[in-house]
Amino acid sequence: HDAGLAASVSKIHLDAKGRQLGPHKDRKEKQHSVDEVHEGEQKSLQLTTDSFDSTRRANEVMIVNFYTPWCHWCQKLEPVWEKTAVALQEKFEQGKIGVAKVDCTAEDAESLCTTHGIDAFPTIMVFRAKYDTKDKEHERYHGER
């Protein structure tokens, strides 16, 4: 049984040549920027089960954030998501790239999250109208949360 395995693993950082930089505890902690804030109006589309398919087909590419309001990481993503929606709307004509979100706790969207197999939050998926003809061919973001 290896349930406690992670407790005995330590992280070692290496330089570009593969040499150890020193024990994790001896290095300075990386400074993170201040939490993002978005003060403008919301530009990302709030989708429901009823509006999802038509909105997806109306955009060549649609990037969707499946979230829950209580999730800490979803809350941190929200202002960045909205800034991204604003930037993409300014850069591309309507129908090129849509930035949307789905509240997986809302009654009118819960089945949509189940259909797409959403089991972690936030989950970001990319839908491409040209290639997503079977309603199953989409890309899931697998990077850090």
Side-chain angles (χ1 to χ4, degrees):
H1 181 44
D2 55 348
L5 179 65
S8 64
V9 174
S10 61
K11 187 184 274 188
I12 298 173
H13 287 268
L14 306 174
D15 67 11
K17 294 183 179 183
R19 294 180 298 228
Q20 184 174 348
L21 291 173
H24 183 67
K25 64 183 178 193
D26 294 342
R27 288 190 325 270
K28 291 182 180 178
E29 286 298 315
K30 188 175 187 179
Q31 294 295 318
H32 295 283
S33 63
V34 178
D35 288 340
E36 292 282 335
V37 176
H38 175 72
E39 296 175 346
E41 72 178 275
Q42 290 197 340
K43 294 288 186 176
S44 66
L45 306 167
Q46 184 73 48
L47 301 179
T48 64
T49 303
D50 294 336
S51 64
F52 185 82
D53 285 330
S54 61
T55 306
R56 180 177 59 97
R57 289 188 178 95
N59 291 281
E60 288 182 31
V61 175
M62 189 169 76
I63 308 167
V64 182
N65 171 20
F66 292 88
Y67 74 98
T68 58
W70 49 260
C71 166
H72 171 75
W73 299 111
C74 297
Q75 293 167 7
K76 292 186 90 49
L77 176 61
E78 178 68 19
V80 176
W81 197 254
E82 291 303 326
K83 284 182 178 182
T84 301
V86 169
L88 290 176
Q89 280 186 359
E90 290 172 357
K91 187 171 184 168
F92 296 100
E93 63 189 53
Q94 187 173 356
K96 280 281 191 196
I97 299 179
V99 178
K101 57 188 176 182
V102 176
D103 179 354
C104 290
T105 63
E107 280 186 42
D108 58 358
E110 207 169 3
S111 64
L112 183 59
C113 298
T114 303
T115 300
H116 288 287
I118 307 302
D119 58 5
F121 304 103
T123 294
I124 298 172
M125 297 178 115
V126 178
F127 297 86
R128 298 175 191 274
K130 184 176 180 180
Y131 302 105
D132 197 9
T133 56
K134 299 176 187 168
D135 293 335
K136 295 182 186 209
E137 298 173 16
H138 48 268
E139 302 164 44
R140 193 179 283 244
Y141 172 78
H142 291 288
E144 291 186 34
R145 295 190 187 275

